Amino acid sequence: MNLLEDAHAVQDDLVRLRRTLHRHPETGLDLPRTQETVLAEIDGLGLEVSTGERLSSVTAVLRGARPGPTVLLRGDMDALPVAERTGLDYASTTGTMHACGHDLHTAMLTGAAQLLTHHRDRLAGDVVFMFQPGEEGYDGARLMVEEGVLDASGKRAAAAYAVHVLSAGHVSGRFATRGGPAMAASNVLTVTVRGAGGHGSMPHRAADPVPAACEMVTALQTWISRTFDVFDPVVLTVGTFHAGTKQNVIPDSATFEATVRSFSPAAQARVKDGTVELCRGIAAAHGLRADAEFTELYPMTVNDGREAEFVSRTVAELHGEERFHPMAQPLAGAEDFSRVLDEVPGAMTMLGSPPAGADPETTANNHSPLAVFDDAVLADGAALYARLALDRTAAAA
């Protein structure tokens, strides 16, 4: 049997694993049950396995039959604090949800480990399997890099690859990537407007922070649309806004948080300074004070041009040219796989996985409590991971 046939032979096992993970998701850096499940799945494959110190990661090294370079394959494992509303018979039981498809990533990477072990005689080099917690805002990739995942085989990885599923916007089973910026930088703007509370009937005897905070929310959108080139955009979305305890009480403070996405270092630097200055200026105009902080979360995910082209060729050879679609522009989402790509060449690849028969333009998006992913992509994703490792090590050996 060839690699793709072998992958489809274990499809049922990958579905079982994915649904087990989906029923019992865990969030953040501490994923003890998920870690235990992964360790059980790869037990007996002859891998050199280690676990993280500051997070419940799993790093596994497969030694090839012949000497050669090291390739790193990454799958993230954490879920989101989202209450699932899909109605699936394998829906989450924990009040959290694999709403971004990381359960598929983990299953595909486990499948790749099984495939590559079976085809070890063809492997001219080593493969590092990076099972990572804490992608969703906890910078787990940075922690794994600091703990040595890029050098886990004894030498620095020559290339790194990750696959990310999408529940909307892409046809199921179709892969997509691009050279250069592939995903945005992600930052957080946190603003607390400080005033003086009082009675709602007498605002002139208080210093109301709420109107000023509301003005900041709308002013930020206008400032961005009038400041940044449409071909080097910035996206700002206020996701939380909190003030007050009762309708007739003017609060002492109002706080909001926004996610800020950008696609170039110049735009990031400008939005960092400009948003803080804008909020402080509006507060001052109201006779108030604003504590405004801009926190850099994840840098841009930048694919190496040659590695992205290699991925596109590999998809075409493995699955057929019709299964690859070039990304016309980067996605505004962010990824801590950027930490890996800042250190070694590689590529993040998207894989469409909306539910079978659904219109990908109208299905629920990643992070939605209604997001549903197609299990049918698991074998194909695992096969791509394995083929990338086999071909990349062979080319450089």
Side-chain angles (χ1 to χ4, degrees), residues 156-196:
R156 177 58 55 112
Y161 306 101
V163 176
H164 201 302
V165 294
L166 299 173
S167 65
H170 289 253
V171 175
S172 186
R174 191 167 69 182
F175 297 85
T177 194
R178 71 192 307 270
M183 300 184 77
S186 177
N187 310 282
V188 179
L189 174 67
T190 304
V191 180
T192 298
V193 184
R194 303 196 181 278

Side-chain angles (χ1 to χ4, degrees), residues 87-235:
L88 296 169
D89 59 4
Y90 55 91
S92 170
T93 61
T94 67
T96 59
M97 179 186 177
H98 271 297
C100 204
H102 296 186
D103 48 340
L104 282 82
H105 303 169
T106 303
M108 289 189 294
L109 189 58
T110 301
Q114 295 168 350
L115 293 172
L116 287 168
T117 300
H118 183 66
H119 291 270
R120 180 179 173 275
D121 60 319
R122 297 169 51 189
L123 183 62
D126 303 323
V127 180
V128 175
F129 302 96
M130 177 183 176
F131 292 93
Q132 181 212 311
E135 189 279 327
E136 297 289 357
Y138 294 86
D139 216 353
R142 176 181 60 81
L143 295 177
M144 289 193 72
V145 169
E146 291 175 357
E147 292 190 0
V149 69
L150 300 181
D151 303 294
S153 72
K155 54 180 176 289
R156 177 58 55 112
Y161 306 101
V163 176
H164 201 302
V165 294
L166 299 173
S167 65
H170 289 253
V171 175
S172 186
R174 191 167 69 182
F175 297 85
T177 194
R178 71 192 307 270
M183 300 184 77
S186 177
N187 310 282
V188 179
L189 174 67
T190 304
V191 180
T192 298
V193 184
R194 303 196 181 278
H199 200 290
S201 68
M202 294 178 283
H204 61 289
R205 294 186 178 276
D208 193 348
V210 175
C214 292
E215 185 177 333
M216 292 173 195
V217 172
T218 55
L220 284 166
Q221 303 296 338
T222 303
W223 177 74
I224 284 174
S225 70
R226 301 296 91 184
T227 301
F228 292 91
D229 188 334
V230 296
F231 298 107
D232 187 12
V234 169
V235 177

